[in-house]
Amino acid sequence: MSYFVLGLMIIFLKKLPISLNANARWAFGILLIVYSFIRFVRLMKSNQEE
């Protein structure tokens, strides 16, 4: 959940301690959101196996 929120923050907040242009912000934010979904799916699969 924290990766998802961090990805949204990077995309939509303008005042961040890191300086990125708009394209880099979008790319990094989307990468974090996709990573959060991958982790979520893996967590659900491991819970189903138990």
Side-chain angles (χ1 to χ4, degrees):
M1 183 69 172
S2 62
Y3 288 109
F4 182 76
V5 173
L6 182 63
L8 290 176
M9 285 175 56
I10 288 175
I11 290 173
F12 293 113
L13 291 180
K14 302 295 182 199
K15 291 186 175 184
L16 287 174
I18 55 175
S19 61
L20 296 171
N21 63 11
N23 290 337
R25 262 199 346 248
W26 275 93
F28 190 50
I30 290 171
L31 180 72
L32 285 173
I33 292 170
V34 168
Y35 180 67
S36 72
F37 282 122
I38 291 170
R39 287 183 55 111
F40 180 74
V41 168
R42 288 178 56 197
L43 179 66
M44 290 297 119
K45 281 186 180 180
S46 69
N47 284 341
Q48 289 177 353
E49 290 176 359
E50 292 177 356

